[in-house]
């Protein structure tokens, strides 16, 4: 019988997770570095014997380490994966994970002494070759996240079934803010009545429906069979099936010509080696004068370069094969590989923090509905960590989200 190496959360399969790795000398180093880092953070760490450390006051988030030995071994063997895995199995807990992780994220570049950071290239894991975003690998990577269950995503998303940052004005409901975001992308792409639109990354059909209601015809591409099925149902229910075609197709296989191309938070799954092909495909698909509306999560350029080769918890459990681009990476690739130019941009990273907060609270409040779908407690902690970890990144500006308007 072959060994299952990949996590399969929709099947309750967590290979190797519940048996912490062992490396006494690395665990000792990890504990020393952890204590040093936490010493000045506005949090409180509590060990089983009652020891407390950290600089947090009475209202600070509390991190309770229940199994210190397992926690420090996981942290020592692979800090970028072990910290999240330790939460998944309950080695540590926190009732306010987003607040706690925000404190860590705010000091992310200084938690490890500079001289030790130089050693990272020798000890950090690299991306598995099986997770490259070639045509075959992309399908598998997308399947592992987006084909978990449409019903799962429906539990915590709003009625628009939009799985990307909303754009708030301070008083919005989440559905209204999601539609504002969609309209922003469509406006950047110049979508209007009669437009022929290509959408790269269908989601569950919200953008395609919105574009069709403007009078456009939409060709939408996805690699998720689950998303395609539900998107087509939603398109039909909205009464715009005559204007929208959803295809199970890789962007590299598209050969049509369009007045506008739109893509919302799909580029993060492309992989840096394929960014030139992605933008060249958009350029090839547009008629002269055609427009491209892009929404992307972003990170600072120096952090993108530093983390590009690292294999992290997010890669292993949430988004295999992904890399978040920097604004500079987008600008440089568009300049060097297309005939497009960027005409306008808008940034709203804090709105993503708010979007994630609402998703996380809804996921927590409706956990019984998720459990009824067959997902276990390990999955619950994994999803809590993922949403809180992401929210923290946007809170402190380590992550951003930006819309780009481009013209050929």
């Amino acid at each position: 019988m072959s060994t299952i190496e990949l996590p399969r959360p929709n099947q309750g399969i967590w290979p190797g997770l519940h048996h912490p790795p062992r490396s006494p000398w690395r665990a000792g180093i990890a504990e020393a570095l952890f204590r040093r880092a936490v010493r000045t953070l506005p949090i409180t760490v509590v060990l089983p014997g009652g020891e407390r450390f950290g600089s947090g006051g009475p209202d600070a988030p509390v991190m309770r380490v229940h199994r210190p030995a397992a926690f420090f071994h996981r942290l020592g063997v692979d800090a970028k994966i072990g910290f999240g895995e330790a939460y998944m199995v309950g080695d540590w807990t926190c009732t306010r994970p987003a607040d706690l992780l925000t404190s860590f994220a705010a000091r992310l570049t200084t938690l490890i002494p500079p001289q030790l950071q130089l050693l990272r290239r020798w000890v950090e894991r690299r991306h598995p070759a099986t997770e490259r975003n070639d045509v075959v690998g992309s399908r598998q990577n997308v399947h592992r996240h987006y084909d978990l269950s449409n019903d799962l995503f429906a539990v915590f998303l709003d009625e628009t079934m939009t799985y990307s940052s909303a754009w708030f004005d301070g008083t919005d409901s989440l559905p209204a803010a999601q539609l504002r975001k969609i309209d922003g992308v469509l406006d950047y792409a110049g979508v209007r009545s009669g437009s022929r639109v290509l959408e790269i990354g269908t989601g569950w059909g919200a953008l395609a429906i919105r574009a069709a209601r403007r009078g456009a015809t939409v060709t939408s591409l996805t690699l998720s069979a689950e998303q395609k099925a539900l998107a087509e149902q939603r398109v039909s229910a909205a009464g715009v099936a005559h204007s929208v075609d959803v295809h199970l197709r890789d962007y590299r296989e598209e050969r049509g010509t369009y007045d506008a191309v739109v893509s919302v938070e799909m580029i993060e799954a492309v992989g840096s080696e394929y960014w030139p092909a992605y933008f060249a495909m958009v350029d090839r698909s547009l008629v002269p004068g055609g427009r491209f509306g892009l929404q992307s999560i972003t990170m600072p350029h120096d952090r993108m370069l530093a983390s590009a080769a690292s294999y992290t918890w997010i890669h292993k459990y949430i988004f295999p094969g992904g890399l978040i681009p920097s604004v500079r990476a987008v600008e440089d690739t568009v300049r060097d590989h297309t005939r497009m130019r960027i005409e306008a941009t808008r940034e709203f990273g804090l709105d993503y923090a708010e979007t994630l907060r609402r998703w996380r609270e809804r996921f927590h409040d409706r956990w019984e509905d998720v459990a009824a779908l067959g997902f276990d407690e390990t999955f619950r902690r994994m999803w809590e960590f993922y949403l809180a970890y992401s929210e923290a990144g946007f809170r402190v500006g380590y992550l951003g989200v930006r819309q780009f308007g481009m013209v050929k």
Side-chain angles (χ1 to χ4, degrees):
M1 185 175 179
S2 61
T3 301
I4 297 173
E5 297 181 351
L6 294 176
R8 299 184 185 179
N10 56 329
Q11 300 175 31
I13 295 173
W14 310 97
L17 177 62
H18 295 277
H19 301 284
R22 289 197 58 79
S23 178
W25 68 274
R26 284 192 176 187
I29 294 172
E31 180 173 1
L33 290 174
F34 181 79
R35 287 177 175 273
R36 175 186 180 276
V38 168
R39 187 175 61 219
T40 58
L41 293 182
I43 67 173
T44 300
V45 176
V46 180
L47 299 183
E51 181 186 358
R52 306 167 72 93
F53 53 97
S55 65
D59 296 326
V62 177
M63 177 180 178
R64 299 188 180 276
V65 181
H66 304 286
R67 295 187 285 271
F71 173 68
F72 289 120
H73 277 278
R74 292 184 198 274
L75 208 58
V77 171
D78 194 335
K80 289 192 173 180
I81 293 177
F83 190 75
E85 288 188 335
Y87 187 82
M88 290 169 67
V89 299
D91 289 343
W92 67 273
T93 60
C94 180
T95 59
R96 294 162 53 194
D99 293 338
L100 180 86
L101 293 170
T102 296
S103 296
F104 282 106
R107 308 271 187 90
L108 194 62
T109 59
T110 59
L111 289 175
I112 304 299
Q115 60 270 29
L116 291 180
Q117 291 189 31
L118 296 174
L119 300 176
R120 290 191 311 173
R121 70 180 66 182
W122 306 109
V123 299
E124 287 187 344
R125 293 175 61 182
R126 295 296 187 257
H127 294 270
T130 54
E131 294 184 3
R132 287 186 68 224
N133 280 298
D134 54 22
V135 174
V136 174
S138 289
R139 292 181 186 277
Q140 178 60 30
N141 290 340
V142 165
H143 169 74
R144 282 175 54 191
H145 187 77
Y146 293 97
D147 287 343
L148 284 171
S149 165
N150 285 333
D151 292 335
L152 163 68
F153 289 97
V155 165
F156 70 91
L157 298 179
D158 68 272
E159 63 201 49
T160 70
M161 284 292 287
T162 306
Y163 190 38
S164 51
S165 179
W167 178 18
F168 295 95
D169 72 354
T171 59
D172 282 326
S173 68
L174 184 55
Q178 290 290 13
L179 293 179
R180 175 181 288 106
K181 174 271 302 294
I182 290 171
D183 284 340
V185 173
L186 294 177
D187 289 346
Y188 269 176
V191 175
R192 57 190 181 275
S193 181
S195 294
R196 297 165 299 164
V197 179
L198 173 66
E199 179 186 24
I200 308 175
T202 304
W204 288 276
L207 187 147
I209 292 168
R210 196 77 168 171
R213 286 176 171 165
R214 290 190 178 197
T217 57
V218 184
T219 298
S220 188
L221 310 182
T222 181
L223 294 181
S224 168
E226 289 273 328
Q227 284 191 329
K228 180 179 187 294
L230 184 53
E232 288 178 331
Q233 292 176 26
R234 289 169 56 80
V235 164
S236 179
V240 293
H242 61 286
S243 299
V244 179
D245 290 314
V246 182
H247 298 278
L248 204 61
R249 182 185 301 161
D250 189 279
Y251 67 92
R252 286 161 286 206
E253 300 169 334
E254 175 59 40
R255 295 293 181 267
T257 303
Y258 301 90
D259 303 304
V261 178
V262 290
S263 187
V264 175
E265 292 182 31
M266 178 273 179
I267 190 175
E268 302 87 347
V270 168
S272 59
E273 66 179 308
Y274 297 104
W275 288 341
Y278 170 85
F279 282 108
M281 173 269 165
V282 172
D283 185 47
R284 182 180 71 243
S285 299
L286 285 172
V287 299
R291 294 180 176 273
F292 180 32
L294 170 70
Q295 180 167 314
S296 174
I297 300 172
T298 63
M299 64 166 45
H301 192 68
D302 60 336
R303 297 306 307 157
M304 185 200 78
L305 295 176
S307 62
S310 298
Y311 185 60
T312 67
W313 183 88
I314 285 286
H315 294 122
K316 184 174 181 179
Y317 290 100
I318 308 296
F319 295 116
L323 179 65
I324 294 171
S326 65
V327 173
R328 176 178 165 184
V330 171
E331 293 171 342
D332 290 352
T333 309
V334 169
R335 182 195 64 221
D336 295 342
H337 297 278
T338 80
R339 292 162 290 178
M340 297 185 294
R341 69 176 185 276
I342 299 172
E343 283 197 328
T345 69
R346 63 172 65 95
E347 163 69 31
F348 48 105
L350 289 179
D351 288 19
Y352 218 150
E354 175 62 15
T355 303
L356 284 154
R357 183 188 67 80
R358 297 192 190 199
W359 289 347
R360 181 171 52 83
E361 290 183 354
R362 187 170 170 84
F363 180 86
H364 179 271
D365 292 343
R366 298 191 60 190
W367 166 247
E368 290 185 1
D369 295 330
V370 179
L373 298 173
F375 292 95
D376 62 13
E377 285 293 317
T378 302
F379 179 84
R380 178 182 63 80
R381 291 189 292 265
M382 180 185 79
W383 214 255
E384 286 177 348
F385 187 84
Y386 152 53
L387 294 173
Y389 174 93
S390 301
E391 180 183 338
F394 287 103
R395 280 193 195 182
V396 303
Y398 178 79
L399 298 174
V401 66
R402 184 174 293 251
Q403 290 183 350
F404 298 83
M406 308 182 199
V407 63
K408 178 175 175 179

